[in-house]
């Protein structure tokens, strides 16, 4: 099993550009989530999904969209990047109320 | 709103000592609590998961306890080693929202 994979590892955007961070898992987990990690702020939940076709907002959803068309994939879309979205983004998956498995992260810089 | 607090924010201890990391949460109606470690510039590695019906979990030199009624969990590390140096995070799961503490940065002195 590859576990949780994220692409790209690094990305630099200009303000106003859009992009999609990819996340995939091959463990047939129902639950998937996106976090951002910022110095002094810890990990904060952006969006999560409890299954294909179901998504919901976390603590800091503004500026981000998600969709879950398959069990395996949970992409995160930045519609119009802002410098405040400079962060490290982590995707995670877990079985229902089970242990979370994290991807390696995407380091995003918005200029 | 669930809040998760980890105290202290940083801790330095000599190699070989036993130590305890603390995690407290405000809403006791949780599904589970999970402890992670994170090395600088890396992702999160799961250490222990405690379901709401459990009181503790053990893995090697690590033991995590959960007291839901008081909103507290501890991570006990026995016979600490320099390789244990990392940031340790706890996360609570309630109503499908998983909330993290800000972590304790642990430094084991050789």
């Amino acid at each position: 099993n590859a576990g949780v994979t994220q692409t790209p590892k690094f990305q630099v955007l200009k303000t106003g550009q859009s992009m999609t961070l990819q996340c995939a898992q091959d463990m047939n987990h129902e639950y998937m989530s996106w976090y951002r990690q910022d110095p002094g702020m810890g990990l904060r939940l952006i969006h999560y999904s409890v299954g294909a076709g179901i998504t919901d907002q976390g603590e800091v959803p503004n500026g981000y969209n998600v969709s879950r068309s398959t069990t395996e994939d949970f992409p995160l879309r930045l519609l119009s990047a802002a410098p405040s979205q400079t962060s490290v983004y982590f995707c995670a998956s877990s079985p229902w109320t089970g242990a979370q498995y994290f991807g390696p992260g995407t380091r995003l810089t918005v200029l | 709103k669930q809040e998760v607090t980890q105290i202290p924010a940083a801790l330095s201890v000599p190699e070989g000592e036993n130590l305890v990391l603390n995690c407290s949460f405000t809403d006791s109606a949780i599904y589970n609590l999970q402890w992670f470690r994170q090395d600088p510039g890396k992702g999160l590695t799961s250490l222990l998961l405690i379901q709401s019906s459990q009181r503790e979990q053990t893995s090697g030199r690590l033991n995590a306890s959960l007291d839901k009624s008081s909103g507290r969990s501890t991570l006990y590390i026995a016979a600490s080693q320099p390789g244990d140096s990392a940031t340790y995070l706890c996360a609570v799961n309630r109503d499908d929202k998983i909330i993290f503490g800000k972590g304790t940065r642990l430094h084991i002195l050789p």
Side-chain angles (χ1 to χ4, degrees), chain A residues 31 33 35 37 40-43 45 48 50 57-59 90 94 96-104 107, chain B residues 1-2 31-32 34 36 38 41-46 49 51 89 91 93 95-102:
Chain A
Y31 186 94
S33 53
Y35 300 86
Q37 187 173 34
M41 301 296 292
L43 277 137
L45 181 64
Y48 65 97
V50 299
Q57 296 180 349
E59 300 174 86
F90 289 101
S94 69
W96 190 254
T97 70
Q100 285 203 99
Y101 295 84
F102 276 75
R107 191 173 295 273
Chain B
K1 178 187 171 187
Q2 178 75 272
Y31 294 152
N32 59 48
Q34 193 168 359
F36 297 86
Q38 185 177 31
K42 303 292 186 182
L44 279 72
T45 300
S46 177
L49 172 73
Q51 300 291 356
L89 299 138
N93 182 344
D95 290 341
D96 300 324
K97 290 189 177 180
I98 298 169
I99 305 299
F100 278 81
K102 293 183 180 179

Side-chain angles (χ1 to χ4, degrees), chain B residues 56-106:
Chain B
E56 64 178 335
Q57 284 287 332
T58 298
S59 176
R61 294 183 293 109
L62 305 180
N63 176 278
S65 68
L66 175 64
D67 184 344
K68 274 202 319 176
S69 61
S70 66
R72 291 182 183 177
S73 176
T74 62
L75 179 66
Y76 175 83
I77 302 177
S80 58
Q81 302 170 358
D84 295 330
S85 296
T87 296
Y88 290 80
L89 299 138
C90 69
V92 297
N93 182 344
R94 189 199 190 285
D95 290 341
D96 300 324
K97 290 189 177 180
I98 298 169
I99 305 299
F100 278 81
K102 293 183 180 179
T104 294
R105 194 168 58 255
L106 177 65

Side-chain angles (χ1 to χ4, degrees), chain A residues 28-108:
Chain A
N28 203 32
H29 288 167
E30 300 96 339
Y31 186 94
M32 295 186 74
S33 53
W34 277 102
Y35 300 86
R36 58 179 291 174
Q37 187 173 34
D38 303 290
M41 301 296 292
L43 277 137
R44 291 179 291 170
L45 181 64
I46 304 172
H47 286 286
Y48 65 97
S49 168
V50 299
I54 306 169
T55 64
D56 208 342
Q57 296 180 349
E59 300 174 86
V60 287
N62 292 341
Y64 308 95
N65 276 359
V66 292
S67 60
R68 183 102 178 265
S69 56
T70 67
T71 299
E72 295 78 19
D73 300 299
F74 191 44
L76 178 72
R77 297 182 186 85
L78 284 69
L79 302 178
S80 178
S84 61
Q85 294 178 304
T86 294
S87 188
V88 181
Y89 290 85
F90 289 101
C91 177
S93 75
S94 69
W96 190 254
T97 70
Q100 285 203 99
Y101 295 84
F102 276 75
T106 294
R107 191 173 295 273
L108 176 67

